[in-house]
Amino acid sequence: GQQVMQIPQYQHVQEGEDFTTYCNSSTTLSNIQWYKQRPGGHPVFLIQLVKSGEVKKQKRLTFQFGEAKKNSSLHITATQTTDVGTYFCAGIASNTGKLIFGQGTTLQVKP
Amino acid sequence: SAVISQKPSRDICQRGTSLTIQCQVDSQVTMMFWYRQQPGQSLTLIATANQGSEATYESGFVIDKFPISRPNLTFSTLTVSNMSPEDSSIYLCSVDITGSEVGYTFGSGTRLTVV
C-alpha cells in the first residue's frame, strides 16, 4: 500500500537556527498537505501543494513539492519557540484519493 | 473551513466495554474520516464514513470492532467495541471540504485510556 516516509523523526535546534523536514511517498501524489500538531493538540492544516515543483512560503516557512510529485520538504528559517510541535506531511495518492500521513517530525526549540 | 465538535474529549474505560465517540460538523460534508493516533505516533486512517452507505474500512480495521454511523451529512459516530488496553489512543474525526484549499479539518480528538 501507499507509504509516506518522513525524516527526521526528531530535531532539536537552538532558537534562531533553521530546520528542515523531508517527506517521500512510494507513489505519485495528486497533492501534498502539511500539518502542525502542538503538544496535546490536534493537527492543524498549514498548506497544500498541488503542482509539480511548486514552492510556497508562509512567513518563515517554505514548502516545496518535488518535480515528480513524490517528495516534499518544509523549511523553517530562524526557528522560534512558538515553532515547537510535530510537523506532518500528508499525501493524497492519485489512485486512491485517501490522505495518508507521514510519521511526523517533532521539533524542539531551545531558547 | 469547517468547525468540528468532538466528544468526549477524554475517557478512561474498563476493558471489555465500549465507547462511542461523536463528531458534529457545522456544515454538510460528503465524507467524514476517522483516524487513530497512538501515543507519539502518526495518524492512521481507520475508515471513511459516507452518508447513506456503509463505512469503508482500512486494512487492519473491521466493522465489528469499530462500528461507524453516519445518519446525516453533519454527524458521525465511531464506537470502539470490546476495548482492550491496546485500544488506548487518540481518536480523531476529520472532514475535507471539497473544492477548498484548507485541507482536512480535525476535531479536537478523544483521548481514550483503557484499564
Side-chain angles (χ1 to χ4, degrees):
Chain A
Q2 178 196 2
Q3 289 189 347
V4 178
M5 310 298 292
Q6 193 174 349
I7 58 169
Q9 187 175 4
Y10 299 99
Q11 186 82 56
H12 295 249
V13 300
Q14 199 72 39
E15 190 173 22
E17 291 181 339
D18 293 354
F19 159 76
T20 304
T21 173
Y22 301 90
C23 188
N24 283 283
S25 171
S26 57
T27 58
T28 301
L29 302 170
S30 60
N31 69 49
I32 195 153
Q33 302 174 12
W34 286 89
Y35 292 80
K36 178 181 180 181
Q37 185 175 28
R38 294 184 185 274
H42 59 276
V44 174
F45 175 77
L46 293 176
I47 209 159
Q48 175 176 277
L49 303 168
V50 179
K51 300 175 185 174
S52 169
E54 189 170 14
V55 177
K56 286 189 176 180
K57 292 192 175 186
Q58 287 181 350
K59 298 182 180 178
R60 294 178 294 105
L61 278 61
T62 302
F63 305 84
Q64 293 187 328
F65 199 11
E67 293 290 341
K69 300 185 76 172
K70 296 178 77 171
N71 62 288
S72 181
S73 65
L74 158 60
H75 179 81
I76 302 178
T77 303
T79 54
Q80 300 175 358
T81 54
T82 53
D83 296 326
V84 164
T86 301
Y87 293 85
F88 291 99
C89 63
I92 294 185
S94 304
N95 56 342
T96 67
K98 296 175 185 174
L99 186 65
I100 305 299
F101 281 78
Q103 298 95 323
T105 297
T106 298
L107 173 64
Q108 294 283 357
V109 179
K110 292 179 257 186
Chain B
S1 62
V3 175
I4 302 176
S5 173
Q6 182 174 346
K7 56 183 181 181
S9 59
R10 58 179 65 232
D11 207 342
I12 300 173
C13 300
Q14 296 290 324
R15 66 177 69 201
T17 63
S18 298
L19 175 71
T20 295
I21 302 166
Q22 300 180 4
C23 273
Q24 179 75 50
V25 190
D26 69 344
S27 57
Q28 293 185 340
V29 292
T30 304
M31 291 192 289
M32 292 179 73
F33 306 93
W34 287 97
Y35 284 85
R36 182 174 72 183
Q37 186 175 28
Q38 294 178 311
Q41 303 295 314
S42 183
L43 287 82
T44 301
L45 182 63
I46 298 172
T48 302
N50 297 317
Q51 192 266 336
S53 63
E54 276 198 4
T56 304
Y57 289 83
E58 297 301 304
S59 176
F61 299 96
V62 295
I63 188 171
D64 289 347
K65 176 67 176 178
F66 297 101
I68 287 171
S69 78
R70 186 79 201 275
N72 57 54
L73 291 174
T74 63
F75 187 78
S76 179
T77 68
L78 169 77
T79 299
V80 186
S81 303
N82 188 25
M83 289 184 283
S84 66
E86 292 72 32
D87 294 320
S88 297
S89 191
I90 299 171
Y91 293 85
L92 299 125
C93 62
S94 69
V95 300
D96 176 29
I97 304 300
T98 304
S100 74
E101 289 199 6
V102 295
Y104 281 34
T105 301
F106 284 84
S108 53
T110 297
R111 187 179 295 271
L112 171 63
T113 302
V114 184
V115 297

